[in-house]
Amino acid sequence: MTVERPLHIACIMDGNGRWAASRDLPRTAGHTAGEENLAEIVRLAVDRDVGWLTVFGFSTENWVRPRSEVRHILGLHEKLFGRIQELNELDVRIQWIGRPFDSPSARTPRYVQRAIRKAINDTAGNTGMVLTVAFDYGGRAELMSAVRAVRAAGEPVTPESIDKHLYLPELPPVDVMVRTSGEQRVSNFLLWQGAGAKIHFSDAAWPDFDADDLDRAIALAR
Ligand code: IPE
Ligand code: IPE
Ligand code: MG
């Protein structure tokens, strides 16, 4: 089967808490399992020649969660961005999308910033799949920042000028948006880039999202 351009799959990784609750485990255990499953899904996506995999790790709305849960999720992102050897073996280039560290509303703590910067730098030469992790990300915040930048540059507001001022202008349109755990919401994820995306809803909680699910999502695009 010929693919015209590399596929872009975007996953809203939901249901970690429910996965844990159904096993009588603390929510944090669900996030840990979710991070481990993401590492597996990255391998599966590379095998399937996915060009771009973008995952929602933590939203601008998620900061209101209990402090201990947020701290645990922060630590897991440090771990995720620390998987540099694995990413290099897979020829995966990692990126991050979210509120720029120097913007007044940004909330990513410095130790996570450092892990993000290091991972981006240490995988920059890879030419295979691009893995983009959304952390402290919100689609509305991204669009407001793009429109402000367009206006500050004195440019007319057009689709092209907005494209150019998104957080990651190189991110292609999303082909398939995946939402796990039986929820059917977009939850402020990639509002601009996902405008034309097909949507694959899966009943699996994110830690249980597997190869069959990924194949169903990919099949939607082809
Ligand atoms: C997704 O799982 C992870 C984040 C939003 C950080 P949840 O933590 O939202 O899990 P549920 O929805 O409570 O099951
Ligand atoms: C969406 O999940 C955000 C992430 C997966 C990081 P949420 O669990 O935060 O979404 P809502 O609030 O149920 O829509
Ligand atoms: Mg949720």
Side-chain angles (χ1 to χ4, degrees):
M1 196 180 302
T2 46
V3 183
E4 279 143 34
R5 62 175 179 78
L7 267 190
H8 185 182
I9 309 278
C11 299
I12 302 172
M13 306 185 291
D14 199 14
N16 293 346
R18 277 164 280 176
W19 181 92
S22 71
R23 286 163 178 74
D24 277 328
L25 294 168
R27 292 178 59 83
T28 48
H31 295 308
T32 300
E35 195 275 337
E36 279 160 15
N37 196 45
L38 172 57
E40 175 62 14
I41 295 298
V42 168
R43 282 188 285 276
L44 295 171
V46 167
D47 275 349
R48 284 153 177 76
D49 281 329
V50 170
W52 302 77
L53 179 67
T54 305
V55 296
F56 208 177
F58 197 78
S59 75
T60 50
E61 288 73 39
N62 287 149
W63 293 104
V64 300
R65 294 190 179 204
R67 272 243 292 279
S68 58
E69 184 179 346
V70 170
R71 205 173 313 123
H72 185 83
I73 294 171
L74 289 171
L76 285 172
H77 280 79
E78 189 185 21
K79 179 177 173 206
L80 170 62
F81 282 98
R83 290 180 181 262
I84 290 167
Q85 192 186 339
E86 234 171 288
L87 295 170
N88 283 335
E89 281 165 13
L90 293 167
D91 199 22
V92 169
R93 176 160 68 90
I94 198 167
Q95 304 196 101
W96 157 79
I97 188 167
R99 288 187 288 199
F101 301 148
D102 60 357
S103 79
S105 49
R107 296 192 57 177
T108 306
R110 284 198 195 284
Y111 72 98
V112 180
Q113 293 183 19
R114 268 196 296 277
I116 290 173
R117 285 203 183 92
K118 182 167 182 354
I120 292 172
N121 188 59
D122 292 358
T123 65
N126 294 338
T127 56
M129 188 177 82
V130 181
L131 169 66
T132 304
V133 179
F135 181 89
D136 191 28
Y137 175 83
R140 287 182 156 206
E142 180 181 33
L143 283 177
M144 289 190 295
S145 117
V147 172
R148 283 194 197 106
V150 167
R151 295 184 65 163
E155 296 168 17
V157 177
T158 63
E160 293 73 26
S161 67
I162 290 179
D163 266 339
K164 213 169 65 188
H165 291 283
L166 295 172
Y167 293 152
L168 289 176
E170 67 162 331
L171 209 61
V174 176
D175 297 298
V176 184
M177 182 88 80
V178 170
R179 173 97 190 211
T180 59
S181 211
E183 303 296 343
Q184 305 195 339
R185 290 191 293 281
V186 173
S187 294
N188 200 17
F189 192 40
L190 301 178
L191 298 179
W192 184 267
Q193 302 87 336
K198 305 241 178 101
I199 309 189
H200 174 68
F201 295 113
S202 166
D203 285 332
W206 175 256
D208 290 331
F209 185 83
D210 62 9
D212 284 348
D213 260 307
L214 182 63
D215 287 336
R216 273 195 284 273
I218 291 172
L220 263 189
R222 294 183 168 158

